[in-house]
Amino acid sequence: MPTLGRLRYRETLPAAGQRRCGTLLLIHGFPLNSRMWEGQLAFAERGWHVIAPDLTTIVKADATVDDYAGEVIDLLDGLRVEDAVIGGLSMGGYVTFAVFRHAERYVRGLILADTRSEADTPEGVESRTRMLQLLKDHGPAAIADQMIPRLLGETTRRTRPEVAEQVRAIVLENSADAIGAAIHALMTRPDATPLLSSIHVPTLIIVGDEDTLTPPSMAEELQRGIAGSQLTVITGSGHMPNVEAPEAFNAAVASFLDRRV
Ligand code: MLT
């Protein structure tokens, strides 16, 4: 995988001579990495230059969503990308809001999957602090054990244990330092709600109907906050519809890209 600046990234390009639609930049959730977007890299075949950065190359203990956003913007600059449809799942959505806050001109459209605009509540911050201790004491495997039942929907866990194995393998690729950095970024992120009314680019909001971390009610709040945004609910999926229900997820994204962007 190539590295530019501090970020490693996956990239797929449309074939030579193919119609070019633009850039689709996809930002992963916690405690994952760009491999969670493997099922979306084929958007290159529809004419999109797909870029999926790995925020896990940032390992400083006091990382913030603004640090991550800065690295993403540097990556776009380094790849000479002037604007992109930026998609983020969960933590990736928090980083997407930070990119929008700092550099709106790079944002041609938004895909906000299983995410929310609010900061952590005080109880949420306490639970992140406990997670940091768990990570220190027992490492990434303990974080995978805690997170997988939250990341995947009930249907996926009951009927497709191989998906849980796949997600676990992705978590275990990440260093304890990278996971610790992400927990710090999550627990210090600002409230992005005031930003919502200033979003005027085409926006697709996606949520799994079995998502318990950022449930459909939160997606509905986002939709109410972003004028003209569109909401797609993916049935039978939890917090990771791009992995749990890639066909439905990709169909929603394809229709958004074809019609709205
Ligand atoms: C994620 O999926 O990125 C995290 O669950 C986000 C969070 O815990 O707030």
Side-chain angles (χ1 to χ4, degrees):
M1 260 163 75
T3 300
L4 195 64
R6 273 178 290 269
L7 291 188
R8 195 172 49 211
Y9 60 98
R10 280 163 215 267
E11 181 179 42
T12 46
L13 287 155
Q18 194 184 347
R19 174 179 75 110
R20 301 264 169 151
C21 299
T23 299
L24 175 64
L25 179 115
L26 298 171
I27 308 178
H28 63 80
F30 168 84
L32 301 151
N33 63 42
S34 65
R35 187 143 76 91
M36 65 164 268
W37 295 117
E38 256 173 357
Q40 284 68 48
L41 294 176
F43 271 94
E45 290 160 20
R46 303 179 68 95
W48 289 86
H49 172 199
V50 186
I51 305 170
D54 256 354
L55 302 175
T56 52
T57 49
I58 310 300
V59 293
K60 61 177 193 158
D62 60 351
T64 63
V65 287
D66 293 321
D67 291 331
Y68 286 154
E71 300 295 345
V72 167
I73 293 163
D74 286 351
L75 179 64
L76 289 173
D77 283 341
L79 294 172
R80 301 189 193 292
V81 172
E82 285 177 9
D83 65 17
V85 175
I86 304 192
L89 184 135
S90 198
M91 179 180 79
Y94 311 155
V95 177
T96 300
F97 285 128
V99 172
F100 186 86
R101 187 164 47 239
H102 290 288
E104 187 182 338
R105 70 188 167 86
Y106 289 85
V107 184
R108 178 173 154 198
L110 289 170
I111 300 168
L112 300 168
D114 301 79
T115 194
R116 64 184 142 190
S117 59
E118 296 86 2
D120 273 0
T121 59
E123 300 74 49
V125 171
E126 271 174 37
S127 130
R128 306 276 193 207
T129 307
R130 286 195 296 277
M131 194 184 265
L132 275 174
Q133 191 60 46
L134 179 72
L135 176 67
K136 200 165 158 220
D137 294 342
H138 300 287
I143 303 299
D145 289 344
Q146 188 175 90
M147 286 303 294
I148 286 167
R150 302 179 190 177
L151 291 172
L152 299 177
E154 199 271 324
T155 303
T156 303
R157 280 182 281 127
R158 183 167 39 84
T159 60
R160 286 181 305 142
E162 70 281 5
V163 177
E165 281 317 305
Q166 179 193 353
V167 171
R168 187 180 174 78
I170 297 177
V171 178
L172 295 183
E173 285 174 354
N174 302 328
S175 71
D177 286 346
I179 293 175
I183 296 173
H184 188 271
L186 289 168
M187 68 197 278
T188 56
R189 74 184 190 279
D191 182 9
T193 311
L195 212 63
L196 301 184
S197 62
S198 64
I199 297 178
H200 299 296
V201 292
T203 299
L204 171 65
I205 298 160
I206 302 183
V207 69
D209 68 342
E210 297 179 10
D211 184 347
T212 52
L213 273 175
T214 49
S217 58
M218 286 186 174
E220 286 160 14
E221 271 176 48
L222 277 182
Q223 190 197 14
R224 278 193 292 274
I226 304 176
S229 61
Q230 164 193 340
L231 171 62
T232 299
V233 179
I234 310 271
T235 48
S237 173
H239 190 61
M240 298 189 67
N242 69 306
V243 172
E244 295 176 67
E247 283 177 18
F249 182 93
N250 289 353
V253 170
S255 145
F256 169 71
L257 294 174
D258 289 350
R259 292 195 205 154
R260 300 277 316 274
V261 182

